[in-house]
Amino acid sequence: MATCPPYPRRPPARSHTRPHWWQHSWVRHGALIALLALAGLVILALVREQTGTRGFLVGLGLAVPPVPLLLAAFRWLDRVEPGPWRNLLFCFAWGACAAALMAIVANSFATRWIATATADPAGADTLGATVIAPVVEESAKAAAVLLVFLFRRRHFTGIVDGVVVAGVTATGFAFTENILYLGNAFGTDQLTGDSGLASVTAATFFVRIVMSPFAHPLFTVLTGIGFGIAALSAGRHRLRRALLPLCGLLLAMGTHALWNGSASFGEYGFLAVYATFMAPSFGLLTWLAIWTRQRELGTVRAELPVYVMAGWLTPAAPHALGSMRARRIARQHAHRHAGKEAARAVAQYEAYATSLAFLRQRGRRGGAGADFAVRERELLDALWHRRDVARPALDYASRATAPPAPPTPVAVPPWAHPYRPYGQYAPYTPNAPHSPHAPHSPHAPHSPHAPYSPHAPYSQYSPYSSPGSPPDPYRRP
């Protein structure tokens, strides 16, 4: 039986030296917020200068529609072990402000320098779009993934986390870039007098918003997958953990360069690259993300039963926590019977239990770290404090989503039917007289030696009820 380690007998010795003012978390957070806000103001001024006020407002309005859809998709993917909102907010702000500012400044400087050195502005633009832009933009977006990987390691545990962090960062970057492109297209239409479906704005909107809103997330997700696999690698594989993110970044740069260079492949180069590469890659990565999400649910079902044996969880918890439908039913049940706070407590219980399962999996693989016991105790304490609300809700959800038990065929011996030839077996009928020699039937009186049945009393399979113990408040009626 698996038990949890006790609390440390002695608390760690406190240092007598007071930390410096820059070592406080609120100072670091404030500096980061100020940096992102400053980058946002600068990028706002640059985009408005290039597009004009009307172009900026038009570009802003046309660039908004894909953003909530992409964020909802990544948030849905992260529902198994949802990370904190502040991480996603940081990633979106970094992509929309810091990464976009670095990309605009570096791309403009590099393109201008190449045009001056080669005296070929058209060639400089092509080279900047196919070589300089992919390297600069993917590196700027990968910086956010690296920061979350290093400083929020507790919330970065696998491939799904890498996909979500990278995808949200790229969504913010694409949002700012779409404002710039659509605003410039609107300015061009104002000069030429074009309008309607024949305008440059309509063509840009169709290509960037309708056909390829997933382009930037698709590129950066490759970097996130590299970081996610590195997070799953054991601590002894240091070289692999360093090379995997770099390989993902190089692959993201290559796909980005192929996409940007498709316009120079001829009249139908863009459509050819879109049909043969972009769409299949998007479908493959979508399948990989969903498959990884299902594997995470399988990990929850496989790792939590040991805590059932130790008495921390009820027997129904692993099944309910390993099903997204059961989780939703549990939250709805708690909200219907105890209000919004109870539903929030159940959601927190589900998140802590999932983190506990992933922590145990990393511990078996040797990648949990030295604070495994402390982290395990923290998660178990969090589960124990919410057990009053979460256990009944999860038990209800487990019963509601349990598959119906298939009927067990019963082989009736020949002497039970004297008018049938020897060797023929008839199916069991509930109205037939029960024979003491017949096998156990689900309709027969329950025997203490019979296997577990969903109709059996809760006390027969609950580790929380024993003779002489006080009544269990979570016992099913």
Side-chain angles (χ1 to χ4, degrees):
M1 181 180 297
T3 56
C4 292
Y7 286 104
R9 296 183 179 180
R10 294 182 180 179
R14 295 183 178 179
S15 176
H16 296 286
T17 60
R18 298 182 61 182
H20 298 285
W21 61 271
W22 63 81
Q23 295 178 340
H24 293 284
S25 60
W26 63 269
V27 175
R28 296 194 298 268
H29 293 166
L32 182 61
I33 293 173
L35 178 63
L36 291 177
L38 179 62
L41 293 176
V42 175
I43 194 67
L44 176 63
L46 290 177
V47 172
R48 183 179 174 276
E49 180 183 359
Q50 294 188 27
T51 61
T53 303
R54 292 185 62 186
F56 172 78
L57 295 177
V58 171
L60 178 63
L62 295 178
V64 166
V67 173
L69 299 179
L70 290 172
L71 293 180
F74 287 117
R75 190 61 179 173
W76 173 86
L77 189 63
D78 199 34
R79 289 298 298 172
V80 178
E81 189 188 15
W85 273 102
R86 60 180 180 272
N87 289 354
L88 302 183
L89 184 61
F90 160 76
C91 292
F92 186 86
W94 180 276
C97 301
L101 178 61
M102 288 187 284
I104 288 180
V105 174
N107 289 341
S108 301
F109 174 80
T111 303
R112 230 182 279 117
W113 181 82
I114 294 174
T116 303
T118 61
D120 184 10
D125 291 338
T126 302
L127 185 62
T130 56
V131 178
I132 304 300
V135 174
V136 172
E137 294 176 6
E138 294 306 322
S139 300
K141 290 182 287 184
V145 186
L146 177 62
L147 290 175
V148 177
F149 181 82
L150 293 178
F151 298 102
R152 288 294 181 267
R153 188 66 179 82
R154 179 176 293 185
H155 306 295
F156 202 122
T157 59
I159 296 177
V160 172
D161 294 323
V163 169
V164 172
V165 169
V168 172
T169 304
T171 301
F173 182 88
F175 173 65
T176 302
E177 191 179 62
N178 287 335
I179 296 175
L180 179 62
Y181 277 87
L182 290 168
N184 287 333
F186 178 79
T188 303
D189 290 333
Q190 292 294 106
L191 295 176
T192 59
D194 295 333
S195 62
L197 296 179
S199 63
V200 180
T201 305
T204 306
F205 179 84
F206 179 75
V207 172
R208 299 189 64 89
I209 306 300
V210 178
M211 289 189 64
S212 58
F214 56 85
H216 274 288
L218 176 64
F219 307 145
T220 315
V221 157
L222 298 174
T223 305
I225 291 176
F227 277 99
I229 300 176
L232 292 174
S233 302
R236 61 180 180 273
H237 299 147
R238 295 182 179 179
L239 181 61
R240 184 170 66 181
R241 296 182 66 185
L243 291 179
L244 283 172
L246 181 60
C247 293
L249 177 60
L250 294 177
L251 191 59
M253 292 177 181
T255 54
H256 196 163
L258 177 63
W259 174 250
N260 286 0
S262 62
S264 61
F265 293 163
E267 184 179 358
Y268 300 102
F270 169 78
L271 295 178
V273 172
Y274 183 86
T276 60
F277 178 75
M278 289 294 291
S281 299
F282 175 73
L284 179 62
L285 288 179
T286 302
W287 171 84
L288 176 62
I290 295 176
W291 176 76
T292 306
R293 185 176 186 261
Q294 295 301 319
R295 284 198 62 184
E296 289 187 343
L297 292 174
T299 300
V300 172
R301 292 190 294 267
E303 298 293 343
L304 290 183
V306 67
Y307 296 101
V308 175
M309 298 173 60
W312 288 98
L313 302 175
T314 61
H319 167 73
L321 294 169
S323 169
M324 298 306 297
R325 178 170 174 260
R327 290 185 175 199
R328 184 178 66 255
I329 291 176
R331 294 192 298 270
Q332 293 174 353
H333 179 80
H335 185 274
R336 184 167 56 250
H337 290 83
K340 185 182 299 185
E341 292 297 328
R344 185 179 295 111
V346 172
Q348 294 172 352
Y349 189 95
E350 295 169 351
Y352 286 128
T354 306
S355 299
L356 180 64
F358 292 161
L359 178 68
R360 183 170 182 83
Q361 183 190 45
R362 293 195 301 273
R364 288 193 300 101
R365 295 177 176 179
D371 60 341
F372 171 81
V374 177
R375 178 60 177 162
E376 184 186 35
R377 171 62 71 175
E378 291 176 356
L379 293 173
L380 288 172
D381 285 346
L383 295 179
W384 191 256
H385 293 154
R386 294 164 177 82
R387 69 189 188 278
D388 294 344
V389 178
R391 282 183 176 178
L394 290 174
D395 289 345
Y396 172 82
S398 178
R399 294 193 300 270
T401 58
T408 304
V410 179
V412 182
W415 46 262
H417 300 279
Y419 298 104
R420 297 189 180 185
Y422 183 81
Q424 292 185 1
Y425 299 94
Y428 174 77
T429 55
N431 298 327
H434 182 73
S435 172
H437 304 284
H440 173 70
S441 166
H443 302 280
H446 184 75
S447 169
H449 303 286
Y452 163 72
S453 166
H455 304 286
Y458 186 76
S459 60
Q460 292 188 8
Y461 58 90
S462 171
Y464 309 99
S465 299
S466 58
S469 62
D472 192 348
Y474 319 108
R475 179 174 178 177
R476 187 177 63 186

